[in-house]
Amino acid sequence: MKRQIISFFTAALILICTFSLNGFSVGDVIDFSRDGVTLYAGQEYQLKMKSGAAVEFFTSSDPEIVSVDDNGIVKAVSTGISTITAADPNGNQAFCTVTVKGGTSPEKVVLEKSFITLTEGGSQTLNAKVLPEDAPDLRLHYFSSDESVAKIDENGNIRAVHSGTTVITAESSSAAVYAMCSVRVLSKKGRTGFEASVSGSLFTIAGDKKSNMIVVIKNANDTVESKTDTEGKFSFDSISQGSYNISVYKSENDKEPAAAGQLYVGSNHMDVTCIINGKDIVCLFQNENTGTASVNEVYLAKGSIELNVGSSYDVVFRVHPEDAAVPKMIGRSTDEDVAVVDSDGRITAVSEGNTTVIFKSSDGRFEKYCLVKVNAPEKNTGSWMIITIELSVIVLIIVLFSISYRRFNKRKENSERISETVKDRGETE
């Protein structure tokens, strides 16, 4: 009897604990990133949850004013106010009030800059405006995705707080009409006392201006971004002196650059013309072959390359100062079965694998490394595909012939049986 009572209470305790854990999820309460948004009739807006909380379903208190789908996209149907409710699998709920206005909606928010770089403690005003300029409501509201990095006040004044990256959103009177600016805050630590500004232009090797491209320069201490205008121009302010990797992206969402190279920033303002040549960026303000000043630094246009078997790459060297001559650089490959290098700095891929090409100046002052990855040659699957198809056809013919032959034999046997039956009947008669 005692054992039954103990078993009963044990089972009850387990059920109570299970119910408690399922019914209460401490610290896992969902919430919208915003308590309320304003839209104009006909507009759509994606509601967002804090910390990417999982949502089982969304509902609208008045679908005739605002509808919502399973992904949290709301559509303003008619003027009025509706409350959107989100619920997670544990039954926790969050609420967002959507106000729908009538009349003319703003069409666009325009920013003077899409990228801003600041140093900790620095500040800058984000200039933005609503279009069309005769819209009934030209007010803007500003938000920072990470106020621990940078804050922005109601007038668009940005204040850098701590090193990192944040996104500033300038939103019109409609939550569906906005523009975003990426803000990079650099740490004061590790920066040299020499700072300069860079004004540049980006072109293709054919001389075409490259507009709306993302230009990124990066080294161990700094990462700075800019965006080319309609004339292909870009600029960087308050850049520390030193060598940078420079990369160009076609859009903010691209993970791999369209082209890359190296850039040396001096202690004064610099004007540079960058030319995209295939996957390489060449900075024309640097002198490659002639010069009178002594060389302080030599570096590679690309510190790592990727080749296919049989292809080649001509190594490009840069120097500082820019009016110095490029010294003679002699290269050797640590694994010549993978790639070889000639006296002119041309690297040729031999077989699949990885190797390092080491370049040393003839006077022994400089030594640079280029990492080389060689991809395996693409397999020619065309002939195998043809053979496979031919074999399949042959097998199909054999199968069809076998089926036809069996049917023929069966018909022959039936015919012989009928003949024998007829013969037997005749003899009997």
Side-chain angles (χ1 to χ4, degrees):
M1 182 68 179
K2 289 183 178 179
R3 291 182 179 178
Q4 292 178 346
I5 293 173
I6 292 172
S7 300
F8 172 79
F9 279 109
T10 301
L13 181 60
I14 293 173
L15 287 173
I16 292 171
C17 291
T18 303
F19 176 81
S20 299
L21 291 173
N22 289 336
F24 300 96
S25 47
V26 179
D28 193 31
V29 178
I30 64 172
D31 196 7
F32 284 104
S33 60
R34 298 175 62 176
D35 294 330
V37 296
T38 300
L39 299 172
Y40 285 76
Q43 292 181 333
E44 293 185 352
Y45 181 76
Q46 172 69 66
L47 294 174
K48 299 179 179 65
M49 311 304 296
K50 289 183 179 178
S51 304
V55 177
E56 189 171 16
F57 63 86
F58 294 90
T59 59
S60 172
S61 63
D62 194 338
E64 293 185 358
I65 295 176
V66 178
S67 62
V68 61
D69 65 12
D70 294 337
N71 299 313
I73 298 176
V74 296
K75 183 175 182 180
V77 181
S78 60
T79 57
I81 298 176
S82 179
T83 300
I84 303 299
T85 301
D88 68 8
N90 294 323
N92 298 311
Q93 294 184 338
F95 306 94
C96 178
T97 302
V98 180
T99 302
V100 181
K101 290 183 176 181
T104 304
S105 166
E107 296 177 2
K108 190 177 184 181
V109 174
V110 179
L111 301 180
E112 184 180 50
K113 290 186 176 181
S114 298
F115 297 93
I116 292 177
T117 301
L118 297 171
T119 304
E120 289 175 341
S123 62
Q124 187 171 330
T125 300
L126 178 63
N127 295 318
K129 64 179 180 180
V130 176
L131 296 178
E133 295 181 353
D134 60 351
D137 193 343
L138 298 177
R139 289 177 300 172
L140 283 166
H141 308 280
Y142 299 97
F143 309 93
S144 173
S145 64
D146 191 345
E147 292 195 337
S148 67
V149 175
K151 296 182 178 181
I152 186 168
D153 64 19
E154 60 184 9
N155 297 315
N157 299 313
I158 303 172
R159 180 171 62 86
V161 179
H162 190 270
S163 62
T165 302
T166 185
V167 176
I168 300 295
T169 301
E171 185 179 289
S172 70
S173 58
S174 167
V177 181
Y178 59 89
M180 293 186 293
C181 174
S182 177
V183 177
R184 175 76 174 179
V185 177
L186 305 177
S187 173
K188 287 184 177 180
K189 297 179 181 179
R191 293 176 62 83
T192 69
F194 299 99
E195 293 189 347
S197 58
V198 176
S199 298
S201 300
L202 187 65
F203 297 88
T204 65
I205 196 167
D208 299 325
K209 300 172 183 176
K210 298 297 291 182
S211 61
N212 297 319
M213 300 286 283
I214 312 301
V215 182
V216 180
I217 61 173
K218 180 179 182 180
N219 63 11
N221 297 319
D222 296 340
T223 299
V224 192
E225 299 177 344
S226 182
K227 188 174 184 179
T228 59
D229 60 16
T230 55
E231 296 296 318
K233 297 184 181 298
F234 62 91
S235 64
F236 300 110
D237 297 323
S238 301
I239 307 302
S240 296
Q241 180 181 6
S243 296
Y244 289 82
N245 294 319
I246 180 170
S247 304
V248 174
Y249 298 82
K250 293 181 179 180
S251 73
E252 300 173 17
N253 299 323
D254 288 352
K255 295 182 178 180
E256 296 296 328
Q262 287 196 326
L263 173 71
Y264 185 87
V265 176
S267 58
N268 299 305
H269 175 78
M270 301 171 60
D271 292 307
V272 58
T273 299
C274 297
I275 293 181
I276 299 177
N277 182 14
K279 291 288 185 178
D280 297 331
I281 297 177
V282 180
C283 299
L284 290 185
F285 75 91
Q286 303 189 25
N287 194 329
E288 293 184 18
N289 299 310
T290 61
T292 56
S294 103
V295 180
N296 295 330
E297 183 59 82
V298 176
Y299 52 91
L300 298 172
K302 296 183 72 172
S304 63
I305 60 173
E306 188 171 339
L307 300 173
N308 294 323
V309 172
S311 63
S312 300
Y313 171 76
D314 292 320
V315 176
V316 178
F317 298 97
R318 304 296 179 203
V319 296
H320 181 264
E322 58 268 23
D323 58 347
V326 176
K328 177 65 177 178
M329 302 295 290
I330 302 170
R332 68 175 180 86
S333 173
T334 58
D335 190 344
E336 293 192 341
D337 290 334
V338 175
V340 295
V341 57
D342 63 18
S343 58
D344 295 323
R346 170 169 285 194
I347 299 173
T348 301
V350 178
S351 63
E352 180 184 8
N354 297 287
T355 185
T356 300
V357 177
I358 304 172
F359 292 95
K360 286 187 177 181
S361 61
S362 55
D363 59 7
R365 292 175 59 204
F366 306 102
E367 183 172 296
K368 299 297 172 182
Y369 300 86
C370 181
L371 304 178
V372 181
K373 177 182 179 181
V374 178
N375 298 318
E378 295 183 359
K379 296 181 180 179
N380 184 8
T381 58
S383 58
W384 285 105
M385 187 176 295
I386 293 173
I387 293 173
T388 303
I389 293 173
E390 290 177 347
L391 289 174
S392 299
V393 172
I394 293 172
V395 170
L396 181 61
I397 292 173
I398 293 172
V399 170
L400 293 175
F401 176 79
S402 176
I403 293 172
S404 300
Y405 183 74
R406 288 179 182 177
R407 290 180 176 177
F408 172 77
N409 284 338
K410 192 172 183 180
R411 288 176 182 174
K412 184 178 179 181
E413 290 174 359
N414 291 336
S415 178
E416 289 176 352
R417 287 174 186 168
I418 293 171
S419 298
E420 290 177 1
T421 302
V422 172
K423 183 178 179 182
D424 291 340
R425 287 179 180 177
E427 290 176 356
T428 303
E429 292 176 355

